[in-house]
Amino acid sequence: MLEALGLTVGEDAVYRFLIDGPRALPDLAAALDRPLASVEKDVVTLIGRGLVSRLPDPSLRYVAAPPAVALGGLLTARREELRTAELAIAALAEQHRMAATDRAAGDLIEVVTGVEAVRQRFLQIQAAARKRVRSFSTAPFVAVPPGANPAENQAVDRGVEYLVVVEREVMAGPGAVAETIDSLRRGVQVRVTDKLPIKLMMADSELALVPLTTEPGGEPAAVLLHRSGLLAAVEALFDAVWQQAYPLLLDAAGAIDEQRESSVTELDRKILGLLLSGLTDEAVAGQLDLSLRTLQRRLRALMDLAGVRTRAQLGWHAARNDWA
């Protein structure tokens, strides 16, 4: 545990042993079953860090400093180091962004070859995401099979939003339903569609990994896209597919429920029809005898169902899918 504060395994063990009471070097070496010279070296290091001190008596014993004081100082220092590193990363990211405008086209596209290299980039992209990860999941799986993506749980735990479109064929695979249910419970937004054009893993609007097709038995490869017009096109493709895909939700029994257009009620159709005719929210609420809060809550639910973020996008989606 104390390795996170910069202590070695040996220093950690010596400090923990001294917490129980003062000890002389020979006693420490015997208790830890280590050479005397090695233990003495760790004690000297701990003294230099203010974690251990020698008792002012002829016993030649050493005692641990109070953890709240000694380790608290180390913890504060480590937090400051991490904060400094975080600022340095932000500065480097900005420097990288500014330099992107001067980079050649080849610098915006990186070809990754080999199963291990593709898997590493797949995990790194998710680790780099700050706000949102968007992905297309299609069969077959080569570099990262289902159930082998620990980066998803880690990113979700730190607050990253996940939007995943799954090809219907994938849902028929072994363990796919159980894995999808687990993702839905963790807050991942999952939609299903009959066919996807490509595989995709995208972090924010900064990076995207697109696997390349290979001959049977050939070496897997993928293209890593940095922020560019090509990445913007891939992002637009995802948004278009997301809007047309069907949301997967969990029903009361915890099973997957595919939400199709039938989720749009007759009241929803009336709301959309009146809004598309140009009425304000207040006027629509008055016409349908609804509270303004209820009306806006229904609109929010419809936007989530359509996978859109603005009223204009909802209107376009409603007109295209005969919701109103």
Side-chain angles (χ1 to χ4, degrees), residues 41-85:
K41 180 181 177 182
D42 288 340
V43 168
V44 170
T45 302
L46 291 170
I47 291 174
R49 297 188 130 204
L51 295 176
V52 168
S53 60
R54 181 176 165 181
L55 291 176
D57 58 38
S59 62
L60 299 179
R61 293 184 302 166
Y62 296 87
V63 64
V69 176
L71 296 180
L74 287 181
L75 182 60
T76 299
R78 184 52 57 94
R79 282 174 175 162
E80 186 59 33
E81 290 173 3
L82 291 174
R83 175 60 180 162
T84 301

Side-chain angles (χ1 to χ4, degrees), residues 122-123 125-136 149 151-152 155-156 158-165 188-189 200-205 207 238 242:
F122 182 86
L123 299 175
I125 283 180
Q126 297 171 82
R130 294 191 173 188
K131 295 181 180 179
R132 182 179 300 114
V133 168
R134 288 167 282 186
S135 73
F136 287 156
N149 180 22
E152 177 182 302
V156 170
R158 69 173 188 271
V160 176
E161 179 185 36
Y162 262 73
L163 308 180
V164 180
V165 182
V188 176
Q189 298 180 52
L200 172 67
M201 175 61 67
M202 180 165 51
D204 300 321
S205 299
L207 294 168
F238 178 90
W242 177 262

Side-chain angles (χ1 to χ4, degrees), residues 166-191:
V166 180
E167 200 169 63
R168 198 173 297 280
E169 179 185 353
V170 172
M171 296 298 297
V177 172
E179 184 180 359
T180 302
I181 290 175
D182 182 64
S183 293
L184 290 170
R185 286 173 176 166
R186 293 181 61 84
V188 176
Q189 298 180 52
V190 184
R191 297 192 173 197

Side-chain angles (χ1 to χ4, degrees), residues 59-282:
S59 62
L60 299 179
R61 293 184 302 166
Y62 296 87
V63 64
V69 176
L71 296 180
L74 287 181
L75 182 60
T76 299
R78 184 52 57 94
R79 282 174 175 162
E80 186 59 33
E81 290 173 3
L82 291 174
R83 175 60 180 162
T84 301
E86 184 179 14
L87 293 174
I89 291 172
L92 289 172
E94 180 62 17
Q95 181 180 344
H96 181 268
R97 186 188 69 79
M98 295 297 293
T101 57
D102 299 326
R103 279 185 278 171
D107 296 328
L108 299 173
I109 300 175
E110 175 189 350
V111 178
V112 184
T113 305
V115 172
E116 286 304 319
V118 172
R119 180 185 294 116
Q120 184 181 48
R121 288 291 188 271
F122 182 86
L123 299 175
Q124 286 175 338
I125 283 180
Q126 297 171 82
R130 294 191 173 188
K131 295 181 180 179
R132 182 179 300 114
V133 168
R134 288 167 282 186
S135 73
F136 287 156
S137 179
T138 72
F141 299 94
V142 179
V144 185
N149 180 22
E152 177 182 302
N153 288 347
Q154 294 167 5
V156 170
D157 288 344
R158 69 173 188 271
V160 176
E161 179 185 36
Y162 262 73
L163 308 180
V164 180
V165 182
V166 180
E167 200 169 63
R168 198 173 297 280
E169 179 185 353
V170 172
M171 296 298 297
V177 172
E179 184 180 359
T180 302
I181 290 175
D182 182 64
S183 293
L184 290 170
R185 286 173 176 166
R186 293 181 61 84
V188 176
Q189 298 180 52
V190 184
R191 297 192 173 197
V192 66
T193 190
D194 292 333
K195 196 69 177 175
L196 287 170
I198 57 174
K199 288 179 180 288
L200 172 67
M201 175 61 67
M202 180 165 51
D204 300 321
S205 299
E206 302 294 330
L207 294 168
L209 187 69
V210 181
L212 299 173
T213 56
T214 59
E215 296 297 326
E219 189 174 33
V223 175
L224 180 64
L225 304 176
H226 295 266
R227 181 155 47 168
S228 61
L230 185 56
L231 180 59
V234 171
E235 186 174 19
L237 172 64
F238 178 90
D239 289 343
V241 172
W242 177 262
Q243 290 181 15
Q244 296 300 315
Y246 298 116
L248 298 182
L249 302 175
L250 296 179
D251 60 20
I256 291 179
D257 178 23
E258 184 175 324
Q259 298 293 302
R260 293 179 176 266
E261 275 82 353
S262 58
S263 297
V264 180
T265 66
E266 187 59 33
L267 175 60
D268 293 331
R269 296 182 187 278
K270 291 180 180 179
I271 290 173
L272 291 169
L274 291 172
L275 286 174
L276 290 173
S277 68
L279 271 65
T280 65
D281 287 5
E282 290 79 3

